[in-house]
């Protein structure tokens, strides 16, 4: 039991330490600011958009935006960026809609997709990974073969194969991404469980009759969770990239609803003359993904004691 | 050959085969969950547009969609192992013939791309590590971050726009110049066809057309390798044997690019298969943009025409290629590093 308390104290100490070290690192801090701003904006704007559709008071949906993202203005078709008004800073698209407003309006959906997919991947991955690591035997064998099978097809290809018969809409993309995204997490959790389960405090808990759910959650899940968080932070970016690639291929949301990946890819046909159409959405995706990658990357370094790398 | 290595190879091969069977079963079950009734499934197989009951019935009897599920799975696995991937409703020829036409072109694009991205990744990773925390290191990090985090279609289109359209250095689309008559298709690989036929003009044209798409694929996948090389190089540079080299008076650069890099690059072999997966996924977008008629282009066409037989067939074939790549990487690893054979 002494052993257990010592480990727990050490873990808590480390957790404060991890974040403290992380926030002092310049590139991690940039990442935290970018990713944080993206998530907070998405939350606020997402709530407003939902309120707008529930109350039918559509003005709420673009209360915080420079202009109405659906307002077409044919005299302003493909207007270049200008500082004449806030809604014009990134120019307009082929319908004269403000690109900056549409981008800000689109962000909650990118955030929603990445949050749902990463969290479902963590839940499914934790369940399968911990069970197979803890139980072992034939169950482990089968779960791990399924995991390997999933890992040997690129996620993009498998998502296409699943979402086409689902009619390739927004829900289909979320379902398909969630079906294919968990295997990396299952491997992670299994490896962590194998490492942790032999430790004295887990053995002690098992002998002392701690209920299996507690062992599962408190001892195995919470002790595996740090490297997972680091990887998940990075993975948000991967989901956003895959999601925007799907939009490029015509899978996902359909035209009137703004979507970053779809805007970037529709704008491609207006390159190079009307460069702003594709450039600003693409660069926004890039910046958001860089933010998540920086956080994940540095977090992994902190955990592995490589912060001065 | 030593027995340990033989046993290791056989074990990896069996394991690869089992993984393949699992993939086929999983894909099959996923489709059946989406389309539980024979008619729904027949509708998906038939593709877009309206289909009469009679058409659907003929598809049901052709693919035995009325049979019990386990029988269908066995039939499906048997068909795939015999190279029967169904009959393409759009092109009206067997799917396997279509894939046989498009797969070699993609391999011809993806394999040089992987070799280049691995090389690029190892060099930039080692360079970054040897200048750790200096401006050069930041530059390496910045470059791979940007290429990694950009939407793949954006990287491809920027390359095409600037290098092909603006500077006119390389052709923007196609596999070879359309002005040239292609040599007889002996090998399936356009490049090899040109070489076999001794047609220098055509061969050069193929190489010309390959450079940009291959570069795009390489740029999209080299970051992973840079990142791994950099951190395993830094680990190696912390090690005692590296410090010993320095103490013995070996020049720093020689110790870094000789001793440390040699040791750090062993795990990169295991990444080859992973990079292959990235590259194939990247090829979907890149081939579409460069109008390079390989597997990736074929998949995008299949999405537009909702040709599900084609999507299913390409998915299975891509899985098989990646499993084979994994097997080759495993075997290479076993040959290089004897320790893994006894695991």
């Amino acid at each position: 039991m002494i052993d257990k308390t010592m480990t727990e104290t050490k873990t808590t100490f480390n957790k404060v330490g991890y974040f403290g070290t992380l926030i002092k690192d310049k590139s991690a801090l940039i990442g935290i600011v970018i990713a944080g701003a993206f998530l907070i904006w998405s939350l606020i704007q997402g709530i407003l958009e939902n309120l707008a559709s529930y109350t039918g008071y559509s003005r709420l949906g673009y209360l915080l935006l420079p202009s109405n993202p659906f307002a077409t203005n044919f005299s302003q078709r493909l207007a270049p960026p200008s500082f004449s008004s806030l809604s014009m800073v990134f120019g307009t698209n082929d319908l004269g809609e403000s690109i900056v407003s549409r981008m800000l309006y689109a962000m909650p959906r990118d955030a929603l997709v990445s949050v749902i997919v990463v969290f479902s991947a963590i839940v499914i991955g934790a369940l399968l990974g911990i069970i197979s690591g803890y139980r072992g035997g034939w169950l482990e064998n089968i779960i791990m073969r399924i995991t390997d099978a999933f890992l040997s097809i690129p996620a993009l290809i498998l998502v296409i194969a699943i979402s086409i018969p689902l009619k390739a809409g927004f829900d289909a993309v979320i379902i398909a991404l969630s079906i294919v995204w968990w295997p990396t997490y299952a491997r992670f959790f299994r490896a962590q469980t194998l490492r942790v389960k032999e430790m004295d405090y887990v053995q002690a808990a098992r002998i002392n009759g701690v209920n299996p759910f507690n062992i599962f959650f408190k001892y195995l899940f919470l002790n595996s969770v740090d490297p997972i968080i680091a990887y998940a932070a990075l993975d948000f970016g991967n989901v956003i990239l895959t999601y925007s690639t799907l939009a490029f291929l015509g899978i996902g949301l359909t035209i009137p609803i703004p979507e970053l990946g779809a805007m970037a890819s529709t704008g491609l046909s207006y390159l190079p003359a009307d460069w702003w159409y594709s450039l600003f959405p693409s660069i926004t995706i890039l910046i958001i993904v860089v933010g998540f990658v920086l956080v994940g990357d540095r977090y992994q370094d902190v955990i592995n004691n490589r912060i001065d790398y | 050959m030593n027995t340990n290595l033989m046993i290791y190879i056989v074990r990896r091969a069996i394991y690869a085969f089992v993984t393949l069977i699992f993939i086929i079963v999983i894909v099959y079950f996923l489709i059946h969950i989406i389309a539980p009734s024979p008619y729904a499934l027949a509708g998906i197989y038939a593709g877009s547009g309206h289909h009469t009951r009679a058409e659907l019935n003929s598809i049901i009897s052709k693919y035995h969609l009325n049979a019990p599920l386990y029988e269908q799975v066995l039939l499906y696995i048997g068909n795939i192992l015999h190279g029967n991937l169904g009959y393409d409703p759009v092109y009206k020829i067997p799917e396997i013939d279509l894939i046989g036409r498009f797969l070699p072109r993609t391999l011809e694009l993806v394999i040089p791309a992987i070799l280049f991205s691995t090389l690029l990744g190892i060099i930039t990773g080692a360079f970054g590590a040897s200048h750790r925390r200096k401006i050069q290191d930041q530059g390496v990090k910045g470059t791979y971050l940007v290429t990694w985090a950009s939407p793949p279609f954006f990287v491809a289109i920027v390359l095409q726009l600037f290098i092909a359209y603006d500077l006119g250095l390389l052709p923007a689309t196609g596999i070879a110049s359309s002005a040239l008559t292609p040599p007889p298709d002996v090998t399936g690989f356009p490049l090899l066809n040109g070489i076999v036929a001794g047609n220098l003009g055509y061969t050069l044209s193929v190489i010309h057309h390959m450079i940009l798409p291959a570069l795009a694929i390489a740029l999209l996948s080299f970051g992973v390798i840079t990142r791994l090389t950099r951190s395993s190089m830094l680990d190696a540079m912390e090690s005692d044997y590296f410090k010993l080299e320095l103490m013995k008076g070996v020049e720093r650069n020689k110790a870094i690019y000789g001793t440390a890099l040699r040791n750090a690059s062993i795990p990169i072999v295991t990444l080859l298969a992973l990079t292959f997966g990235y590259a194939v996924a990247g090829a979907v977008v890149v081939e579409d943009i460069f109008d390079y008629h390989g597997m990736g282009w074929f998949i995008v066409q299949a999405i537009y025409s909702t040709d599900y037989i084609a999507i299913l067939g390409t998915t299975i074939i891509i899985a098989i290629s990646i499993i084979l790549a994994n097997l080759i990487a495993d075997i290479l690893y076993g040959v290089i590093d004897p320790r893994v054979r006894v695991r």
Side-chain angles (χ1 to χ4, degrees), chain A:
Chain A
M1 288 319 272
I2 295 167
D3 206 34
K4 179 188 152 198
T5 15
M6 276 173 66
T7 325
E8 276 186 350
T9 347
K10 197 167 155 253
T11 332
T12 14
F13 166 74
N14 271 348
K15 256 173 208 145
V16 175
Y18 284 160
F19 195 72
T21 330
L22 198 62
I23 207 143
K24 272 185 229 137
D25 181 77
K26 206 169 37 173
S27 51
L29 188 64
I30 297 173
I32 291 173
V33 170
I34 296 172
F38 167 68
L39 289 175
I40 291 169
W41 168 258
S42 299
L43 184 67
I44 297 170
Q45 173 64 17
I47 289 173
L48 284 176
E49 283 174 28
N50 274 310
L51 274 181
S53 71
Y54 280 129
T55 58
Y57 185 58
S58 61
R59 180 85 183 76
L60 269 179
Y62 47 92
L63 196 62
L64 299 176
L65 306 181
S67 67
N68 180 350
F70 300 104
T72 52
N73 180 352
F74 287 94
S75 63
Q76 289 277 18
R77 287 186 71 229
L78 295 167
S82 77
F83 291 103
S84 60
S85 79
L86 203 53
S87 62
M88 296 294 287
V89 284
F90 291 165
T92 63
N93 66 7
D94 50 328
L95 298 174
E97 298 164 326
S98 156
I99 287 178
V100 66
S101 298
R102 289 179 70 77
M103 274 167 45
L104 289 171
Y105 191 87
M107 281 179 193
R109 266 164 301 279
D110 289 80
L112 186 71
V113 172
S114 51
V115 168
I116 292 181
V117 171
V118 169
F119 273 87
S120 67
I122 291 177
V123 171
I124 302 172
L127 267 173
L128 295 178
I130 293 177
I131 288 174
S132 66
Y134 194 62
R135 277 283 308 273
W138 61 269
L139 193 63
E140 178 184 23
N141 255 321
I142 289 183
I143 293 176
M144 283 299 118
R145 285 303 77 76
I146 294 176
T147 309
D148 288 347
F150 268 101
L151 283 175
S152 55
I153 312 178
L156 180 72
I157 310 278
L158 201 51
V159 169
I160 293 172
I162 298 170
S163 58
I164 292 291
L166 285 171
K167 300 286 174 256
F170 184 63
D171 299 344
V173 168
I174 293 187
I175 293 170
L177 281 169
S178 307
I179 290 175
V180 307
W181 216 262
W182 57 269
T184 329
Y185 292 88
R187 271 210 182 159
F188 256 126
F189 274 106
R190 174 176 162 273
Q192 288 289 326
T193 306
L194 288 178
R195 199 176 59 80
V196 175
K197 86 169 178 189
E198 295 308 323
M199 292 201 174
D200 292 343
Y201 68 93
V202 176
Q203 299 291 351
R206 194 149 44 158
I207 294 162
N208 282 324
V210 173
N211 90 43
F213 178 78
N214 271 341
I215 292 188
F216 193 89
F217 187 73
K218 261 165 86 179
Y219 296 78
L220 299 176
F221 181 81
L222 289 183
N223 272 301
S224 319
V225 94
D226 272 318
I228 307 282
I229 292 176
Y231 181 77
L234 198 145
D235 214 21
F236 276 110
N238 291 336
V239 176
I240 293 177
L241 280 181
T242 308
Y243 176 63
S244 66
T245 307
L246 289 167
F248 171 79
L249 299 173
I251 297 172
L253 281 175
T254 38
I255 285 298
I257 304 166
E259 202 286 312
L260 284 179
M263 287 169 79
S265 65
T266 321
L268 292 178
S269 45
Y270 294 89
L271 282 172
D274 309 313
W275 48 271
W276 55 89
Y277 192 167
S278 180
L279 186 75
F280 289 114
S282 298
I283 287 186
T284 308
I285 296 174
L286 176 100
I287 292 174
I288 295 170
V289 177
V290 164
F292 283 115
V293 172
L294 283 177
V295 179
D297 204 27
R298 295 308 282 164
Y299 202 155
Q300 280 176 352
D301 286 344
V302 174
I303 290 170
N304 298 329
N305 238 330
R306 284 172 170 169
I307 191 65
D308 40 311
Y309 270 22

Side-chain angles (χ1 to χ4, degrees), chain B residues 237-287:
Chain B
M237 286 161 67
E238 293 285 312
S239 68
D240 291 340
Y241 66 80
F242 180 78
K243 288 175 183 157
L244 181 69
E245 291 276 288
L246 291 184
M247 275 188 260
K248 281 196 306 198
V250 177
E251 211 181 306
R252 196 180 118 91
N253 268 337
K254 215 171 160 190
I256 289 176
Y257 293 103
T259 320
L261 185 56
R262 189 148 26 92
N263 280 288
S265 53
I266 295 175
I268 290 166
V269 175
T270 53
L271 265 192
L272 275 177
L274 182 75
T275 326
F276 185 69
Y278 274 115
V280 171
V284 174
V285 169
V286 170
E287 286 183 4

